Amino acid sequence: MRLKTRLIHHPGSVCEHTGAVSPPIYQVSTFKQEGVDRNKGFEYSRGENPTRKVLEEYIADLEGGLDGYAFASGMAAISACFMLLQSGDHIVATEGLYGGTFRVLSRVFQRFNLTYTYVDTNDVKAVERAFQENTRMLFLETPSNPLMVITDIRQASELAHSRHALVAVDNTFMSPYLQRPLELGADLSVHSASKFLGGHSDLIAGLVVTRDKKVSSRIKQVQMSVGGILGPQDSWLVVRGMKTLGVRMGQAQESAQAIASWLCSRSEV
Ligand SMILES: Cc1ncc(COP(=O)(O)O)c(C=O)c1O
């Protein structure tokens, strides 16, 4: 099935009990247990919630990943990636990345002795030089916000993996409609779903998609332990928004092209 079709007809969005083509909002904290270790797959919504699960499976499918995880914001999703690391580890990150990511590293994670080096990740030689003995993550934002610096995800991932470091990509600006980092070798694709995925400026949400079982279970552990989950109402809103992602991204590209062509025709530019 083509991506645009998968966007609109994600099978998980259909309610299996009623056939409703929009998933029910399970506004619930706790699920009735039939006995000790006997339930219908859900216990407590911090761990798993059926509406959130629809969104998590939806984004995992679109990114070509194994599992998806929904968080209360893009920053909570990004922080979950950094929480895979431990004190003493070093991160190489795209210079000029989103200010909130810069802030969480300098104001929060630095206090836990995570160190980092910013580098022009467009320059793979510079990335190589920035690697240290203790580098455990390459964090890319491509295109970067706001300067639109582009990184070759495949080349950077090969380098990072040869140094036994994980690769996380902030894919907010492209969305899986235009870029799928996991297919290019990254281990984690991260989103502020508050932007293109939600699409209507009416929610704050974050997503992480993994492609490896081990990394996936560690993100799950962070999500469950720290608890920065997305609620069922907002999960539903992101699912609703994502159905039109293809149409919106197509129009955004068309409009951007028209503006760029007009600017190119102006002598003042
Ligand atoms: C590229 C990028 N990543 C992450 C974030 C943070 O996302 P949120 O505002 O959902 O926490 C933003 C927000 O502007 C962003 O532009």
Side-chain angles (χ1 to χ4, degrees):
M1 227 193 283
R2 288 177 58 195
L3 191 65
K4 243 180 181 165
T5 312
R6 270 160 53 213
L7 273 165
I8 296 169
H9 296 291
H10 173 59
S13 299
V14 178
C15 172
E16 56 184 349
H17 305 297
T18 62
V21 294
S22 171
I25 300 173
Y26 285 91
Q27 190 66 48
V28 63
S29 59
T30 307
F31 297 81
K32 186 170 183 284
Q33 305 297 296
E34 288 146 11
V36 176
D37 278 343
R38 277 197 303 122
N39 56 54
K40 294 187 165 66
F42 298 93
E43 292 175 8
Y44 187 59
S45 281
R46 173 157 42 76
E48 250 179 353
N49 172 281
T51 314
R52 194 174 87 227
K53 193 164 180 233
V54 170
L55 169 61
E56 293 177 333
E57 289 179 353
Y58 191 11
I59 190 66
D61 175 50
L62 296 175
E63 287 273 7
L66 181 68
D67 294 307
Y69 297 96
F71 291 87
S73 68
M75 286 320 304
I78 289 168
S79 298
C81 295
F82 293 143
M83 284 182 212
L84 296 178
L85 303 175
Q86 59 188 36
S87 172
D89 286 350
H90 174 254
I91 302 162
V92 173
T94 301
E95 74 183 1
L97 46 55
Y98 171 63
T101 307
F102 178 89
R103 183 174 51 220
V104 80
L105 281 174
S106 60
R107 299 276 171 88
V108 180
F109 288 105
Q110 190 168 288
R111 290 195 278 110
F112 296 90
N113 197 28
L114 277 189
T115 54
Y116 44 87
T117 304
Y118 292 113
V119 66
D120 175 6
T121 48
N122 181 253
D123 176 355
V124 76
K125 289 270 177 254
V127 176
E128 194 165 15
R129 281 195 300 276
F131 263 78
Q132 302 177 2
E133 276 295 298
N134 56 340
T135 303
R136 294 289 171 266
M137 181 174 281
L138 174 61
F139 188 91
L140 305 173
E141 187 176 294
T142 177
S144 65
N145 176 12
L147 293 179
M148 301 286 143
V149 172
I150 305 292
T151 301
D152 182 333
I153 297 173
R154 194 188 298 277
Q155 205 178 29
S157 298
E158 277 168 16
L159 168 68
H161 290 152
S162 74
R163 305 295 186 93
H164 310 293
L166 288 170
V167 180
V169 178
D170 185 330
N171 200 26
T172 299
F173 267 31
M174 294 298 264
S175 89
Y177 187 68
L178 297 174
Q179 175 171 275
R180 288 177 293 285
L182 305 183
E183 293 176 0
L184 300 170
D187 303 287
L188 299 140
S189 183
V190 195
H191 289 275
S192 166
S194 325
K195 310 289 169 354
F196 291 112
L197 294 176
H200 295 78
S201 305
D202 53 8
L203 60 93
I204 296 286
L207 298 166
V208 176
V209 185
T210 58
R211 65 171 186 153
D212 168 89
K213 237 183 167 148
K214 219 162 128 192
V215 175
S216 193
S217 71
R218 287 167 63 206
I219 288 283
K220 169 90 198 157
Q221 203 170 51
V222 170
Q223 188 194 40
M224 171 73 175
S225 307
V226 179
I229 48 146
L230 191 64
Q233 304 264 352
D234 282 349
S235 296
W236 184 89
L237 273 176
V238 180
V239 169
R240 199 267 302 261
M242 278 165 62
K243 287 181 181 176
T244 55
L245 180 71
V247 184
R248 290 184 285 103
M249 292 308 273
Q251 183 60 54
Q253 282 184 291
E254 219 175 276
S255 304
Q257 185 61 58
I259 294 166
S261 301
W262 181 80
L263 287 171
C264 284
S265 73
R266 305 293 299 179
S267 58
E268 311 95 295
V269 176

